[in-house]
Structure formats: C-alpha cells, structure tokens
Amino acid sequence: MNSTSLNLKDKTTAYRIYLVLGALFISSLVVCNLIFQKFFQWDFFGVYTFTISVGLIPYPLTFLITDIVSEIYGKKKANLMVTAGIFASIFSLLIIYAAASVNAYIDPGTDPNIQVDNDTFNLVFGKSLISVFASMTAYLFAQYIDIKVFHFWKRVTKGKHLWIRNNFSTFLSQFIDSVTIISLLCLNGIFSWDNFVPFVMSGFLFKVIVATIDTPLLYLTVFGLRKRFQLQPGEELNLDY
C-alpha cells in the first residue's frame, strides 16, 4: 500500500495517537487475563442467552484497535503493538507470581473487609498462570491472523470497503481465538469439557456482535485520522525517520 511521509510536527502527533492506542490495547489485554474467572449471562433480546466471561468485555476492543492501527499505520506497526502486548502479559504474570509468593499480613487493627489473606488472593489470581498462557497462545494466533487477513482484504479491495476487511478478518480471528483459549483451559482443568461448545459459541457470537456494532466506530476513527493526516483511502502513514 502507498504511504505518506509527514513533517516532524505531524509525526509527533501520529506517534502520540499510536501511543494512546497502544496503552488502551495493552491495558485491555492484561485486564482480560486477570478477570476471566467471573462469568455472567446476557439475554440478547430473547434470541440467545450468552454465558460469557467478563474478560470478554474489553477483549473485542483489542481487535478494533489493531484494525485501526493496521488501516492507518500499517501492518508493521500493528504487529509491533501485538508483540508489546505479549511482553506486557508476561510481565503482569511475573508481578502476580511475585505477589503470590509473599505471605499475607493481616493487621488486627485494620478493617478485615479491606484486607486479603493468602487463600483469597490465590483463589482470585492462582489460576492466572494457566489463563495467561492460554490467553497469550490464543492471542498470538488470533491477532497475527487478524492483521494478516485484514491486509489481504485491503489489497484485494484496493483500500476500499473498510467494513469487509474489518469484519471478515475479525470473524475468522475471533473464532480461532475462542476455540484455542477454551481448548487450552479445558485441557488444564480450568473448565469442564462439557462447557466447551457453549463457551466457544457464546464467546464467538458475542465477539461477532461486538465487532459488527463497532464498525461505525472504526469508520469514524479512521475518517478522523485520514482527515487529520490528509490520507487517501488505503494510504498509510510513514513514521520511519
């Protein structure tokens, strides 16, 4: 795809926007891994009742962000953000491991409702090692495939029809993500295999609905960035100095 060079001021602005998108992406990814153990049900207008992890609430945002970055900044910058997310997940895991290895101190003079003992901490975060491993594995497959498929459709459509590459890439990658992460969690005894199909279907359908809903937001964001940096449809920013 064609790329456009920027002056120093515009490059600084573009990098700042990229940094904000990266921060939202990484924080969403890390939070997903930490809160996945809580589930809830969502009745979708009486058509289908979803049983999904609260970890899926911020997760679709990561695919929206990588699609925005892919469209405006290009494949290289999108892959860089994905790689940064991997290191952030590993780093968060190391912090949790270090925190779990320290014995909890319960101050008798402090309100017990605001203190956490070892058992409570381990109950909440004890399975994070497996969950983060499963999440990162699924995440690697899904995100890199999402970016690759996104740019495949971008070439095929010659930079037109943003909704096609957004939804087609996300649908495929989200299905791979759902199957991979639920399979790994079942294999490690976190979930029962009896829940495999309903969890995969609920997770995938939820992600598809969110991906469809966020398409207007993608268009709005891409339109704003194209206007700010005077980009033509399909054109990408060149941030290399």
Side-chain angles (χ1 to χ4, degrees):
M1 285 295 168
N2 294 330
S3 61
T4 183
S5 297
L6 302 173
N7 57 42
L8 181 58
K9 181 180 179 181
D10 285 345
K11 275 190 175 181
T12 301
T13 300
Y15 266 117
R16 286 175 178 172
I17 294 173
Y18 180 77
L19 180 61
V20 171
L21 291 172
L24 291 173
F25 174 84
I26 291 172
S27 59
S28 296
L29 181 67
V30 171
V31 168
C32 290
N33 296 328
L34 299 181
I35 65 176
F36 84 101
Q37 295 185 70
K38 180 178 179 180
F39 283 75
F40 70 100
Q41 289 191 322
W42 176 41
D43 183 10
F44 185 66
F45 301 107
V47 177
Y48 185 81
T49 300
F50 292 91
T51 301
I52 51 181
S53 165
V54 294
L56 289 184
I57 295 175
Y59 199 70
L61 178 62
T62 64
F63 286 86
L64 172 63
I65 292 173
T66 52
D67 283 352
I68 293 171
V69 173
S70 290
E71 181 68 17
I72 300 299
Y73 292 87
K75 184 177 180 180
K76 182 178 179 180
K77 287 292 187 291
N79 283 330
L80 177 63
M81 187 175 289
V82 170
T83 304
I86 296 172
F87 284 104
S89 296
I90 295 174
F91 185 65
S92 66
L93 180 62
L94 293 175
I95 294 175
I96 293 173
Y97 180 80
S101 66
V102 178
N103 192 43
Y105 169 71
I106 305 300
D107 186 354
T110 305
D111 185 353
N113 292 322
I114 63 173
Q115 298 184 86
V116 176
D117 58 20
N118 291 323
D119 292 337
T120 303
F121 186 90
N122 291 330
L123 178 64
V124 176
F125 296 107
K127 296 180 180 179
S128 291
L129 176 62
I130 296 174
S131 66
V132 171
F133 172 76
S135 177
M136 284 194 302
T137 302
Y139 161 82
L140 274 172
F141 279 116
Q143 284 286 9
Y144 285 126
I145 287 175
D146 179 74
I147 294 170
K148 190 175 185 64
V149 174
F150 185 94
H151 281 274
F152 166 78
W153 283 109
K154 191 172 185 178
R155 290 193 301 271
V156 170
T157 60
K158 298 180 180 179
K160 302 177 181 179
H161 310 302
L162 176 58
W163 66 273
I164 292 179
R165 50 186 177 275
N166 171 51
N167 288 297
F168 280 23
S169 64
T170 299
F171 292 169
L172 175 61
S173 59
Q174 296 285 24
F175 179 75
I176 293 172
D177 174 77
S178 296
V179 171
T180 303
I181 191 169
I182 299 300
S183 296
L184 290 172
L185 291 174
C186 288
L187 284 170
N188 285 279
I190 305 298
F191 296 154
S192 167
W193 281 105
D194 293 337
N195 293 322
F196 177 79
V197 173
F199 280 180
V200 168
M201 291 304 299
S202 289
F204 173 64
L205 290 176
F206 175 78
K207 294 170 185 176
V208 166
I209 291 173
V210 173
T212 303
I213 293 173
D214 71 24
T215 300
L217 180 58
L218 174 67
Y219 267 88
L220 182 63
T221 305
V222 168
F223 173 80
L225 292 174
R226 281 177 180 167
K227 184 177 181 180
R228 171 61 182 81
F229 298 110
Q230 299 180 352
L231 297 174
Q232 297 299 317
E235 194 175 12
E236 300 169 354
L237 292 176
N238 179 10
L239 297 183
D240 294 329
Y241 284 99

